[in-house]
Amino acid sequence: MLNKANLKEANLIGANLSGAELKDSEVTNTKFSSNSPGMTEELKQNLIQRRAIFQNSLEEPLILTPVHR
């Protein structure tokens, strides 16, 4: 469980997020990959809203997502 963890600017590309709870975690500029185990579309959209950064594979550049305030 990673609930309320400070993951700000962490590199979690390739991390297995199966069962992870990121509800109140700080994920600003945290790097994730879209195809990580446990990464659902719902979780991805939630993390994007919270200013996370996504990369689809190790070969692709990071996809910076605009922040809507």
Side-chain angles (χ1 to χ4, degrees), residues 6-67:
N6 182 354
L7 302 172
K8 192 173 184 178
E9 300 184 14
N11 184 346
L12 297 179
I13 293 172
N16 185 338
L17 300 172
S18 298
E21 293 183 27
L22 301 169
K23 181 180 175 185
D24 295 316
S25 296
E26 173 60 61
V27 294
T28 302
N29 295 325
T30 303
K31 298 172 187 160
F32 294 93
S33 56
S34 298
N35 56 359
S36 291
M39 181 61 70
T40 64
E41 189 59 33
E42 180 181 2
L43 178 57
K44 179 179 177 181
Q45 292 305 314
N46 178 274
L47 293 171
I48 288 171
Q49 290 176 354
R50 293 164 48 205
R51 302 178 68 193
I53 300 170
F54 278 83
Q55 180 176 359
N56 291 324
S57 72
L58 296 177
E59 293 81 32
E60 295 180 18
L62 291 176
I63 300 168
L64 300 178
T65 308
V67 176

